[in-house]
Structures are given as C-alpha cells and as structure tokens.
Amino acid sequence: MSNELSGRVAVVTGGGSGIGAASAALLAAAGAAVIVADLSEGSKETQVGRFVTHDVASEEAWQSLLADILEREGRLDIMVNNAGISGGPGNPETTTVENWQNVQAINSEGVFLGCKYAIQGMKHLGAGKTQSSGSIVNISSIAGLVGGAGPTAYTASKGAVRLLSKSVALYCAEQKYGIRCNSVHPGGVDTAIFNPLWQAVGRDQGKAFLGARHPIGRMAEPQDLGELVLWLASDRSSFVTGAEFTSDGGITAGLQRRSLLGPS
Amino acid sequence: MARLENKVVLLSGGASGIGAATAQMVVREGGKAVLADRDEAKGQALAAELGASAHFVPLDVVHEESWQAAVAATVEKFGALHGLLNAAGVGVRNSIEDCTLAEYRRVNDINSLGTFLGCKHAIPAMKGSGGGSIVNISSVLGLRGASYAMAYCASKGAVRTLTKNVALHCAQQKYNIRCNSVHPGYIDTPMIAPRLDSNVGNMSGRQALEELHPLGRLGQADEVAHMILFLLSDESTFSTGSEFVCDGGLTA
Ligand SMILES: NC(=O)c1ccc[n+]([C@@H]2O[C@H](COP(=O)([O-])OP(=O)(O)OC[C@H]3O[C@@H](n4cnc5c(N)ncnc54)[C@H](O)[C@@H]3O)[C@@H](O)[C@H]2O)c1
Ligand SMILES: NC(=O)c1ccc[n+]([C@@H]2O[C@H](COP(=O)([O-])OP(=O)(O)OC[C@H]3O[C@@H](n4cnc5c(N)ncnc54)[C@H](O)[C@@H]3O)[C@@H](O)[C@H]2O)c1
C-alpha cells in the first residue's frame, strides 16, 4: 500500500498546519508528489513536498498555482481543499457583513475556486497521464451538518461546501471526466484552529472539555482525518463520489446536544 | 379563529411566486403582510390588491441598511414583527466549469447573505414582539446536488445550516423565536419559467420537470405557502431548526 500514489501529484491547501499537514504527510508517504499551498510555510519538522505561497481566496493565485504545477510536475491528480478559518466568534446577532464575507471568501469561494482549477488541472494530459481523472476532497465540518458546531458565518460556509461538492461530483460524472469529489466533516480536531481556546483555558483543559463532548471521549488528532483524506484520494475509493464522510467521534450520531463549544 | 390572527409577517420576495402566495394566505388568515421586494411595481400592485392588511416596502436583501429600513417600516406600520419569510432568491444555472467567481458571489450574496441579514435584523424586532417564527426557503438543491446548479446548491446548502444555527442561538437565548427551512421541489413560478419553455430532447421543459417528481407534476406556489403558513403559525411551536420538504416525492 505504501506506494499506491506513486506518480500522482497532489495539492493540499492549508497544508502548512493541522489536518492539511497531516494529509500532506500521509499522501507523501503513499508516494504522491505533494504541493503544500498555504499562506505561509509551517514549521520545518512537519514539512513535506514542495511549498507554494498561495491564497485560496484569490483567483489569480489559483491561475498561477495551476500553471506552475503543470509546468513543473506536469499533471494533477489529487486536490485537497482544506484551507479554512473559523472567523472567530459570531452568532446570528453579532456577525457583521465584513466577517461573513471574509469567511465565505476563504471557506466557500476558496473551495469553489479550488474545484474549478482542480478540474482544469485534472483534465490536462501529459507526464504519463493519458486520461482525465482525479479525486477532489473538500474539507467541510460537522458545522456543515448541524447548527451548533461553529460560528454563524462558518456554519453557512460549510453548508455551502457540502452541497457544492455534490454538484461538482455529479457534473464531473456526467462529463465522464473520471474525477470524483467528496466532502469530509470533522468534529473537533486538535489543531491551531483552537489556539484561541487553548489560550483562554489552557490546552489540556480545553482538550478535555472538547473531548468530553464527543461520545468517543476525545478530540481527533489530525492524522485521524489525514487517513480519511488519503483513502478518498486513493483508488481504494474509486466508486465513491458526491458523498459525505463524517469523522467526529459520534458527535452527530445521537440525541445529545450537538454543540461543540457550548452557548455562543 | 384565523390561524395568523394579529400576527405581523415580513416577506422578502413577497412580490412574486412563493412569497406572493404566502402574503395572500397571511392576509386571508387574519395576519398583516409586509411585502418586501426589489421589484417595486409588482410588490406595490399586490399590496394594494390585498388591502389595508398589507403593505409594501422596497428591499434589496444584500444590503444591510435596506433590511434595517424594512424591519423598521414593518414595526412602524403594524406595531410588531412576529414572522419573517426569507423567500427572495435567484435561480441560476451554472456548472463548476462555467461559473465565474463574480457569479458565484452574486448568487450566494442574494440567497445566503440575504437570508442571514433577514434573520439578523428580524431577531431584535421579534424579541420586542414577544417572539416569532422565521422561515427560510432553501430548496431540494440544499439537500441534493445538481450538476447544472453549482452556485445555487452552495447557496441553499448555506441556508440549510444557517437556519439550524439561528434556531439553536435563539433557543439558547430563550428568545421564543423559532427558525426552520423549507425545501421545495420544482414549483410553477416565474423563477423556473425559462426552464419550462426550453425543450429537453423530445420533451418540453415542463414535461421533463414534471416527470422528475414521483407525483408527476410541478408544485404550486400555494402548496409551499400552506407549509410556510403552518411554520409561521402557533400550530408549529415545537418545531425549530428543522427541514420541511415540499417536493412531490422528489428526494424520497
Ligand atoms: N480543527 C477542527 O476541529 C476542524 C473541524 C472541522 C473542520 N475543520 C476544517 O479543517 C480545515 C483545516 O483546519 P485545521 O483545523 O487544520 O486548521 P489550521 O488552522 O491548523 O490550518 C488551516 C491552514 O489553512 C491555512 N489558510 C488559512 N487561510 C488560507 C488562505 N486564504 N489561503 C491558503 N491557506 C490558508 C492556514 O495558514 C493554516 O495553515 C479547515 O477548513 C477547517 O474549517 C477543522
Ligand atoms: N420555484 C421553484 O421551483 C423553487 C424551488 C426551490 C426553491 N425555490 C426558492 O423559493 C424562493 C422563492 O422563489 P420563487 O419561485 O417564488 O421565485 P420568483 O422569481 O417568483 O420570486 C422571487 C422574488 O425574489 C425577489 N428578489 C430577487 N432578488 C432580490 C433581492 N436582491 N432583493 C429583494 N428581492 C429580490 C424577486 O424580485 C422576486 O419577486 C427562492 O428562494 C427560490 O430559490 C424556488
């Protein structure tokens, strides 16, 4: 299994940290050439593949990223649209239009652009690629499934990603592109996205507090999600498209309060 | 007793289609209807036809000040706000390959930002009126994907989860404000008129859409309005954060 992705080229947006970094590491370990596209380079120990400075909200950035990859790597097979922000606290009464637009620009428009340019890249033939094919993995959230798992603007942005992934999947299937597209819905994952909480209550206490909200009794580690991303990126999931993959320790399975952070 | 006796309802998109049908029903059931729309001519005409229990205010849902003015005008005219229907929306056909960033943003601004702003500014007025009910129109395309409606799917998926977030917030705060989403199938309104007229293979657009639905026909605006009326009324006081499907079996 260790070389199942050899010869494949993968992009991971937001790959400098958290879920993206874990996904990039696992894709690289499976033999893929990985391009980490992030605002700034992560810590040197966690780094894999080739780093490209990239802002997912900028269409020009996507144009130059794609041109650069087709010139250097010559093909594109896997796109992990993972970059995202929480946007900070905000409920339906306190969320400003500016905050809303900021969050949509990265979490929703960023994924839209990521899919659009991924398809262009995946249709490109060359460097041993004779047929268009590929796998797009969009990181939504349980906030794209339930209402109490994040701030208002974030919740809307993740609902958008959930449905746009299905539209992309069906479109690519109809066009016979051989490109699949699925969404991933993590619960609480121990990443930098929780830094504000760690700063407020301490990391150990924060992790215990969030862990207790998951039926499984703990938060996810980034690798838990990386394994799911790897499976969706690989040919092992070749019949899977337009589907939703929840990895949340059971938080959305039952009748318990589905609030991750408690009253907003 | 009439089902919406003395309830004041603000309806975005109230000039046409589902919003207009609901406005008529609100008035018929004893409520006050404030039709808010960017189509002033149609909105004014319908409000005039509905008489003293109806009023028109111009509204562009993507502008926060416009919402503030519409809510203020509602409270000024009828003294309270108990119901909000977010029905303003645009149906746009595009795929992931042909949709531009500008078009993605335009569709999401009207359908999703516009719905958020309606909720945001209705909440304080409803709090001041002893509580209320918000109904957001999503779509079957907020539940299932369609290759030809990428930006629309995204916007309606956003409305679906936004609705739950608003519902839980209001419940936590004990505002006595409920919020639910309605998911219509294809409804015979001006929004889908272009599709009805264009042919699909040897079928008319209308036939093709009719055949999609297990009930074998399109929905009527009144059929969706009946569901909205239930949600606006006190018949549904234990329902919040939920998805109400009205689609002739389409998603079954
Ligand atoms: N951590 C969780 O509990 C959790 C739960 C559900 C969903 N998610 C989602 O998972 C994804 C990854 O989050 P994470 O938890 O690993 O967070 P993280 O903060 O550790 O990593 C996010 C990365 O995205 C990058 N990024 C932010 N804006 C960007 C932009 N405009 N262009 C390019 N890169 C950008 C950041 O620099 C960072 O490296 C996000 O979409 C997030 O919403 C996280
Ligand atoms: N007709 C269908 O098949 C169908 C199916 C599912 C969901 N829906 C949804 O139902 C809602 C109502 O649609 P309809 O079928 O009655 O369509 P419609 O076109 O008859 O009515 C929509 C109304 O919204 C108004 N509007 C559009 N943009 C606006 C803006 N920026 N500010 C203020 N008003 C604006 C229009 O002027 C129009 O009066 C929409 O959200 C639509 O997406 C319709």
Side-chain angles (χ1 to χ4, degrees):
Chain A
M1 211 160 75
S2 67
N3 276 323
E4 69 175 330
L5 296 184
S6 75
R8 310 273 174 98
V9 176
V11 173
V12 182
T13 69
S17 171
I19 298 170
S23 303
L26 287 167
L27 292 169
V34 176
I35 292 111
V36 168
D38 204 318
L39 292 174
S40 59
E41 263 176 282
S43 70
K44 291 284 171 209
E45 311 104 76
T46 59
Q47 227 175 83
V48 297
R50 178 160 86 81
F51 179 83
V52 178
T53 305
H54 182 61
D55 177 359
V56 294
S58 156
E59 182 149 28
E60 297 79 62
W62 277 107
Q63 285 161 345
S64 56
L65 177 67
L66 185 63
D68 179 52
I69 290 168
L70 294 183
E71 190 184 315
R72 295 211 198 192
E73 281 85 10
R75 57 186 280 166
L76 178 63
D77 303 279
I78 296 159
M79 172 65 68
V80 185
N81 287 307
N82 161 80
I85 58 168
S86 78
N91 66 44
E93 295 180 272
T94 58
T95 299
T96 63
V97 172
E98 191 190 357
N99 174 262
W100 176 278
Q101 297 290 30
N102 256 335
V103 172
Q104 308 313 319
I106 295 170
N107 294 4
S108 166
E109 293 176 7
V111 174
F112 155 63
L113 290 170
C115 292
K116 186 172 165 118
Y117 285 91
I119 292 169
Q120 269 188 33
M122 291 171 180
K123 282 166 69 180
H124 180 87
L125 307 179
K129 189 166 181 176
T130 55
Q131 246 181 318
S132 73
S133 67
S135 173
I136 301 172
V137 183
N138 294 333
I139 311 297
S140 174
S141 165
I142 56 168
L145 306 174
V146 295
T152 300
Y154 183 81
T155 300
S157 72
K158 294 300 187 179
V161 169
R162 177 190 192 185
L163 267 295
L164 95 78
S165 300
K166 296 186 197 302
S167 173
V168 169
L170 291 171
Y171 175 79
C172 290
E174 278 168 19
Q175 302 294 319
K176 306 210 185 307
Y177 286 161
I179 298 171
R180 299 179 294 110
C181 179
N182 294 285
S183 59
V184 169
H185 303 263
V189 190
D190 181 9
T191 73
I193 215 168
F194 286 111
N195 279 346
L197 182 68
W198 301 165
Q199 270 149 27
V201 303
R203 188 150 185 277
D204 289 348
Q205 231 179 313
K207 276 191 82 167
F209 170 82
L210 286 180
R213 300 216 159 187
H214 295 72
I216 220 168
R218 64 169 177 91
M219 297 182 77
E221 296 302 323
Q223 291 75 359
D224 291 320
L225 276 301
E227 292 287 358
L228 178 54
V229 170
L230 171 61
W231 183 78
L232 287 169
S234 78
D235 294 340
R236 285 178 280 150
S237 59
S238 55
F239 200 58
V240 174
T241 196
E244 299 164 5
F245 291 84
T246 303
S247 175
D248 70 348
I251 204 167
T252 59
L255 290 173
Q256 74 280 5
R257 289 284 282 277
R258 286 159 168 190
S259 165
L260 201 54
L261 290 174
S264 42
Chain B
M1 195 176 94
R3 296 165 67 201
L4 288 183
E5 190 79 41
N6 295 324
K7 287 208 196 286
V8 181
V9 181
L10 173 61
L11 308 98
S12 86
S16 175
I18 296 169
T22 308
Q24 283 168 313
M25 234 177 252
V26 165
V27 170
R28 199 195 308 150
E29 291 297 334
K32 313 284 184 216
V34 177
L35 288 62
D37 206 292
R38 68 175 173 194
D39 187 335
E40 298 200 21
K42 257 173 101 174
Q44 296 276 17
L46 179 58
E49 193 186 308
L50 292 176
S53 291
H55 183 61
F56 173 79
V57 291
L59 172 71
D60 187 339
V61 293
V62 304
H63 294 125
E64 186 154 35
E65 322 79 69
S66 183
W67 268 112
Q68 285 163 323
V71 169
T74 302
V75 174
E76 192 183 307
K77 174 83 184 165
F78 292 122
L81 180 66
H82 306 109
L84 170 68
L85 171 65
N86 279 304
V90 285
V92 177
R93 282 169 76 82
N94 55 44
S95 76
I96 183 66
E97 284 197 287
D98 62 28
C99 183
T100 63
L101 178 57
E103 186 67 349
Y104 186 81
R105 191 171 295 166
R106 184 181 79 87
V107 174
N108 279 279
D109 277 355
I110 296 173
N111 293 357
S112 149
L113 170 66
T115 300
F116 155 63
L117 288 175
C119 297
K120 177 177 178 178
H121 293 289
I123 290 170
M126 287 182 175
K127 275 162 68 180
S129 308
S133 170
I134 300 173
V135 180
N136 296 330
I137 312 278
S138 175
S139 168
V140 287
L141 297 185
L143 304 171
R144 302 288 166 81
S147 58
Y148 51 81
M150 191 278 306
Y152 186 80
C153 282
S155 72
K156 296 299 187 179
V159 169
R160 178 187 185 186
T161 46
L162 166 71
T163 300
K164 296 181 195 299
N165 184 265
V166 171
L168 292 179
H169 171 74
C170 292
Q172 266 155 5
Q173 304 292 323
K174 307 213 183 304
Y175 286 162
N176 191 30
I177 298 171
R178 301 178 293 110
C179 184
N180 293 286
S181 57
V182 168
H183 302 263
Y186 288 90
I187 312 300
D188 198 347
T189 73
M191 179 173 285
I192 65 163
R195 284 195 70 180
L196 301 181
D197 299 339
S198 60
N199 285 358
V200 182
N202 54 7
M203 264 191 274
S204 74
R206 176 178 287 276
Q207 276 173 310
L209 283 183
E210 284 172 349
E211 287 202 357
L212 275 181
H213 299 78
L215 287 186
R217 61 175 177 85
L218 300 177
Q220 296 302 316
D222 267 355
E223 295 177 295
V224 185
H226 277 297
M227 184 175 273
I228 297 166
L229 202 81
F230 166 74
L231 292 170
L232 290 173
S233 79
D234 290 341
E235 295 156 18
S236 60
T237 43
F238 202 55
S239 293
T240 194
S242 291
E243 297 161 7
F244 288 79
V245 181
C246 181
D247 72 349
L250 188 54
T251 56

